Amino acid sequence: MFARTYAGRHATNAIYHQSTPTTANLLASNVTTRGMADFTMAQLKELRALSGAPMMECKKALGEVKGDVQEAMDWLRKHGAAKASQKVSGRDAEEGLVSCTVSADRKSAAIVKISSETDFAGKSPAFVNFVTHVASATLQSGEAGSIEADNVLPLESDSKSVQLALEEAMIAIRENLGISSATKLVTEDGILVSYVHGRVNNSDAGSAAAIVELIGSADEETMIDAGKKLAMHIVAAKPSYLSPEDVPEEAVNKEKEVLESQIAGTNKPPEVMEKIVNGKLRKFYSEVCLTEQEHMVEEKTTVAKALKKLGLEVKRFESAFI
């Protein structure tokens, strides 16, 4: 009796093991877990690489569209980006990167500042790609000058809008991202030269950037070299204005009031006090005006004098910092 019972159980177990698929069998048939019958591991891996979205969301997206990777990307944009946006809404985005790019003929350029919540995410490949995409799209805009964030979103680069690139970045990064500023410069008579400081992963995105417009009689190679040095100077010195003529009258009057209060009660004649104030104003201009600053790359000369020696003049500049 015992022998027959044991034999019967052994036969039953053998039948069970023969009919139950192993993990290896499941992997071989591309069905690894419950809920993955509609897509393969290869498709899941591809979607993860394309979107950067979490594994579970990629599984859900592929399940919803029966394994079509492109449709799954669209599903993630509609649901994943919206979910990410709701999750991070209201959180401060004070980190980020800046980027600038210049056209091949150096007649147009763009500089942008994009914010993220953390420095770690701000230096991720997904974020770097988004920042440079915004710069490229801004360069291709038909609008010059400062561009509002809402007007940047429809702009395209490589047939992809900034809006779509933003959605993809938010899916991958899961942080609050924003376009802090975007500016396009155009020149007819001069050339535009840029410099990016603290580049991330050898990209055109970094912690600071500047673009300068130069005009003059020098050859292009000389102008590009001078422009790069000047852009480097701007990143280091952070001028507020181009020249003394560009300083608002209100700012000048306020500075005069401060200077006059500093020497009040010295019983000096009015004409002497005026000379002292004017001298201090020149010091003020040398601190806040690009042309009056001491060049931080070309030693022992001001920016204006260094450029004049080369037959050049700086017409304007744009800068951005994180």
Side-chain angles (χ1 to χ4, degrees), residues 5 9 29 50 68 81 157 227 242 265 296 303:
T5 302
R9 287 177 180 174
S29 63
L50 285 173
D68 188 298
S157 176
L242 178 63
M296 299 186 75
V303 167

Side-chain angles (χ1 to χ4, degrees), residues 245-272:
E245 292 74 26
D246 296 300
V247 182
E249 184 178 355
E250 181 181 354
V252 175
N253 291 335
K254 184 176 181 179
E255 185 66 19
K256 280 184 176 180
E257 289 178 7
V258 172
L259 295 175
E260 288 171 352
S261 66
Q262 290 176 350
I263 60 175
T266 58
N267 297 320
K268 295 182 182 295
E271 62 273 15
V272 174

Side-chain angles (χ1 to χ4, degrees), residues 134-146:
V134 177
S136 178
T138 302
L139 179 65
Q140 297 177 47
S141 168
E143 179 181 354
S146 178

Side-chain angles (χ1 to χ4, degrees), residues 2 8 18 41 47 95-96 118 143 154 174 186 192 207 242 260 268 271 286 291 294-295 311:
F2 176 80
Q18 288 174 4
M41 286 296 293
L47 182 60
E95 299 291 338
T118 64
E143 179 181 354
R174 321 300 279 179
V186 177
L192 295 162
S207 58
L242 178 63
E260 288 171 352
K268 295 182 182 295
E271 62 273 15
S286 72
T291 57
E294 184 173 342
H295 205 305

Side-chain angles (χ1 to χ4, degrees), residues 231-307:
M232 292 172 68
H233 165 91
I234 291 169
V235 166
K238 299 181 179 179
S240 302
Y241 310 100
L242 178 63
S243 66
E245 292 74 26
D246 296 300
V247 182
E249 184 178 355
E250 181 181 354
V252 175
N253 291 335
K254 184 176 181 179
E255 185 66 19
K256 280 184 176 180
E257 289 178 7
V258 172
L259 295 175
E260 288 171 352
S261 66
Q262 290 176 350
I263 60 175
T266 58
N267 297 320
K268 295 182 182 295
E271 62 273 15
V272 174
M273 293 183 66
E274 184 178 358
K275 288 182 179 180
I276 294 174
V277 169
N278 289 337
K280 290 182 176 292
L281 270 180
R282 285 193 292 273
K283 173 66 174 176
F284 167 71
Y285 290 139
S286 72
E287 293 173 348
V288 302
C289 298
L290 175 60
T291 57
E292 308 308 300
Q293 288 179 333
E294 184 173 342
H295 205 305
M296 299 186 75
V297 181
E298 300 289 347
E299 297 181 357
K300 297 181 180 179
T301 184
T302 65
V303 167
K305 289 179 179 178
L307 293 177

Side-chain angles (χ1 to χ4, degrees), residues 101-119:
T101 184
V102 180
S103 64
D105 63 1
R106 297 192 172 275
K107 294 298 182 181
S108 59
I111 183 167
V112 301
K113 177 179 178 180
I114 311 299
S115 59
S116 65
E117 290 182 49
T118 64
D119 179 66

Side-chain angles (χ1 to χ4, degrees), residues 93 95 97-100 110-116 130-131 133-136 138-139 145-153 155 162 177-185 209 318-322:
E95 299 291 338
L97 292 172
V98 300
S99 179
C100 57
I111 183 167
V112 301
K113 177 179 178 180
I114 311 299
S115 59
S116 65
F130 174 60
V131 174
H133 184 87
V134 177
S136 178
T138 302
L139 179 65
S146 178
I147 307 175
E148 294 292 330
D150 288 344
N151 294 331
V152 175
L153 294 176
L155 300 179
V162 171
L177 310 179
I179 301 171
S180 300
S181 64
T183 303
K184 179 179 179 179
L185 291 78
E318 290 286 343
S319 58
F321 304 89
I322 292 297

